[in-house]
Every structure is written in structure tokens, then in C-alpha cells.
Amino acid sequence: MSYQRYTNTIRNLNVTAPFIGPEAQERQSGILFKARLGANESVFGPSPKVISAIKENATEIWKYCDPENYDLRHVIAEFHGVSSENVVITEGIDGGLGLINRLLVDSDEIVVTSQGAYPTFNFHVAACGGRCIKVPYKGNHEDIYTLLEKAKKLEAKMLYLSNPDNPMGTWWPASEIEFLIKHLPGNTTLVLDEAYCDTAPHEAIPAIDISNPMVLRFRTFSKAYGLAGARIGYCIAEASVISKFDSVRNHYGINRLAQIAAVAAINDQDHLKAIVDKIAISRARIADISHANGLIPIDSGTNFVAVDLLHDGLFAQKVIRGLLAFGVFVRMPSVAPLNRCIRISAGTQDDLDLLEVTLPKVLSAAF
């Protein structure tokens, strides 16, 4: 009998997916979502200038993308005050996390992360044969001091941190991130996931320093820029580290229209500011709805709010299923004690009107 000769690493992995998409949930349940508030997308959409740029260039979709991502890299570099040699374009942050694992992680090497943090990172570590050592959250925050201690003790290859954090939405001030960077073990790379930097308080984001080869800053156009479906992100780092991405990246993996859309997006900072304002208003409304139902919204620097239901994960699952029955899509953290919460993305007024009406009914039924 013939069989596939998978690598030892892949042969020992279970088939898994970090998330079940909303489309899959709709197919499974037979219910179409009326309010899509679970994937941390921007329901407010991209800049009109982005839409115009996509329309103007749609007829050229027959062309491959520019494999050097020249225009986009230079626009990003100028925006951040670095050289284009300090920027690599990735297929969203997820694609970048996969690449950095391929570059750095060998079989059985240790990577330190937080228990309950963004699961796609762990997915990539496992695919490279690495071992994730997970540090519990401290309250509602990733515990940067214990993460640092573990990285030193175990001589970790990488330390993963998101700031602001997913799934809780909390953040550390830039001074604390700078402390972490200063005290990193000499051979540990900090993978700093800044997917939500555009919605974060200004004081949460450290200045970009491309002189340190052990710090990689990952960012995306999927959140406030409203381009989640375009799958376009980037990494900023020291030039010699960025050059190594060319050894493993899919040079023709970036969508041509996504390149064009991202250039238009970063050039329209007025639109970005308007969207960030809308997100802040939406977060405040989610907080008000939560308080009205006796729940505790956790202060968020992202485009979502984690809402503490004041019970356990089983109760949160009941609430998730109850909201699904009304066509409201939200998610919840995957591990205790974080899974006492549900996570609600910023939505339109209509989205939140539906949430406001249905949440009391669902909570009553769950009780």
C-alpha cells in the first residue's frame, strides 16, 4: 500500500486550525450572521481611495505582483522613517509569523509565549517542530516579566508578545516594552505583534529602532485599515534580518491588488484617523451595553472589547451559542481563566443595536 512520507514533525501533528471561520459556522449552523463581531475585522471598510485604486487597476489582475513589493516597501519605509531594506511584505501578520518560524526554529527548540495568546503563532511553531512554553496571563495582561524570566532560564529561541494584546485587548506602555527589549537574553528574538498599533494609545507603542537585530515588529493592514481580505502585512527589523526573509518567503505570494490597495491605504491617514475614532465610539458603546447587563468590559486598545461575563468558560460557550442563534457572531478566548470572557469586535450602530437587544435575552437563557 502506498502512503505519504510526511516529515517526522508533521506526522506527529494533529490536523487542526487555529480558528473556525464565520463562514464555516454559518454553513454548520444554517444561520447567516446579521452582525459579524467576532473576527476583529473593520466593518467600517477601507478608504474610498483604496476602493478607487482597486477599481482602476482591476483590469491588470492578469499580471503577477511585483515580487520585490518595491512601491509598497518604499511607502511603508518612508512612513516609518526607515530604509526599504528594513521592511519585508508578508501575507498578513500570519504569513510573517510562519516565515520567522521557518527562519529561526529548529526541531525541539523552545519558544516562549502566553497561555491563551494568539493561537496562529503556536500553529507555526508546531509546524517547524518547536516547543511552545506558555506563561499564564497575570490578570488581564500578558506577563512580560515571567515571559522574560522563562526566556532567560530556558534559553528560548523566540519570545512572542502582542501589544496591544489579543484576545484581551490590554496593552503595556512603551516603557515596559523597552525594558523587555533591554533585558532580552542575547540569543532570544522578540517577535512583537503590533496588529493593533493603529488603535492603541500613543504611549503604548515604542519608537521603532532598526539597529537591534533581535527585535522584529509585525504590523498589518487587516485591522484599522480595513483590508483583512487582502492579506497584507509587513515586518520592520534590522536590514540583515529582513534580507533573510528572501530565503523563505513566497516571492509571488502577495496579491497585486493588495499591494496597490495598501499603498493607497497608508497614504490616506485622514481616513485612518476617522476609522480609529469610529472604533473608539464603538468600544464605548460595547462597554455601555456590557455595564447595562451587569458585565465588566475590559479597557481595550484594540478594535474589540473583551467582556468579563463573571462566570466560567462553560457559561461563555452558552452565551456564544445563544448569540449565534440570533445571528450575532462573537468569539471567546480559548483557555481559562480568560475564557470567562467573550470578545466583541467594533461594529456599526446597526450591529450594536442588535447586540443590545439580544444580549439580555441570551444571558437570561444562559442563567
Side-chain angles (χ1 to χ4, degrees):
M1 178 179 177
S2 299
Y3 62 93
Q4 292 290 350
R5 298 176 63 187
Y6 298 111
T7 67
N8 290 335
T9 295
I10 299 302
R11 187 165 56 245
N12 293 321
L13 289 179
N14 294 323
V15 175
T16 185
F19 295 103
I20 299 174
E23 293 83 4
Q25 293 187 40
E26 288 177 327
R27 288 190 291 270
Q28 291 168 5
S29 68
I31 299 171
L32 296 180
F33 291 125
K34 300 172 184 176
R36 184 167 163 140
L37 301 174
N40 302 346
E41 302 146 323
S42 176
V43 299
F44 307 111
S47 160
K49 294 179 181 178
V50 169
I51 300 299
S52 294
I54 292 172
K55 288 180 178 178
E56 290 169 9
N57 291 276
T59 58
E60 296 197 343
I61 195 64
W62 60 271
K63 297 178 182 178
Y64 285 114
C65 69
D66 172 7
E68 296 180 6
N69 299 288
Y70 182 91
D71 291 341
L72 181 54
R73 281 194 304 113
H74 280 75
V75 167
I76 291 171
E78 182 179 0
F79 181 74
H80 290 296
V82 299
S83 166
S84 62
E85 295 178 347
N86 300 115
V87 179
V88 64
I89 307 303
T90 62
E91 294 145 297
I93 285 183
D94 290 356
L97 296 179
L99 293 175
I100 195 59
N101 273 281
R102 288 182 65 190
L103 283 173
L104 296 183
V105 178
D106 277 328
S107 181
D108 289 327
E109 288 192 309
I110 291 173
V111 175
V112 175
T113 183
S114 298
Q115 178 72 21
Y118 190 50
T120 302
F121 177 75
N122 305 351
F123 178 85
H124 289 304
V125 173
C128 292
R131 289 194 292 140
C132 275
I133 303 300
K134 300 172 185 178
V135 171
Y137 274 58
K138 189 173 184 178
N140 296 319
H141 289 77
E142 294 192 62
D143 186 351
I144 61 173
Y145 297 103
T146 304
L147 287 167
L148 181 59
E149 179 185 322
K150 284 286 186 183
K152 289 179 178 179
K153 181 179 180 180
L154 300 174
E155 299 181 348
K157 197 65 170 289
M158 289 194 298
L159 190 163
Y160 173 81
L161 178 75
S162 55
N163 193 56
D165 161 72
N166 181 9
M168 301 305 283
T170 54
W171 68 91
W172 287 97
S175 59
E176 299 287 352
I177 303 299
E178 289 162 351
F179 176 91
L180 174 64
I181 292 170
K182 182 179 179 180
H183 292 89
L184 278 175
N187 293 320
T188 299
T189 295
L190 174 62
V191 175
L192 187 55
D193 183 337
E194 296 180 314
Y196 300 97
C197 63
D198 298 306
T199 55
H202 177 73
E203 64 271 15
I205 308 301
I208 290 174
D209 175 13
I210 45 80
S211 68
N212 186 345
M214 307 308 288
V215 179
L216 289 87
R217 312 278 288 268
F218 287 89
R219 298 190 176 185
T220 184
F221 289 90
S222 294
K223 306 304 179 186
Y225 283 107
L227 290 173
R231 306 312 301 129
I232 193 107
Y234 59 98
C235 177
I236 304 173
E238 192 267 335
S240 67
V241 177
I242 291 297
S243 69
K244 276 297 187 181
F245 278 85
D246 278 340
S247 302
V248 294
R249 72 181 178 91
N250 180 358
H251 289 247
Y252 284 92
I254 303 298
N255 182 294
R256 181 181 182 86
L257 291 181
Q259 291 173 324
I260 292 165
V263 169
I266 205 167
N267 282 331
D268 193 353
Q269 290 299 302
D270 288 340
H271 178 79
L272 179 66
K273 182 181 183 303
I275 295 302
V276 171
D277 289 344
K278 287 183 178 181
I279 289 169
I281 292 169
S282 182
R283 286 196 310 241
R285 176 95 187 274
I286 294 169
D288 288 344
I289 294 170
S290 302
H291 284 305
N293 286 277
L295 310 177
I296 299 177
I298 296 167
D299 287 344
S300 173
T302 67
N303 68 346
F304 63 85
V305 178
V307 178
D308 191 338
L309 302 179
L310 305 174
H311 288 274
D312 59 11
L314 292 175
F315 183 82
Q317 289 175 6
K318 289 182 182 179
V319 173
I320 294 280
R321 290 194 296 268
L323 289 171
L324 167 63
F326 285 102
V328 179
F329 166 54
V330 301
R331 281 192 173 129
M332 59 183 286
S334 59
V335 301
L338 308 183
N339 64 356
R340 71 189 189 280
C341 301
I342 58 173
R343 196 192 65 193
I344 305 172
S345 302
T348 65
Q349 288 303 311
D350 287 346
D351 291 335
L352 300 185
D353 286 347
L354 181 59
L355 177 70
E356 186 172 31
V357 170
T358 57
L359 184 58
K361 300 174 184 176
V362 169
L363 289 170
S364 177
F367 279 121

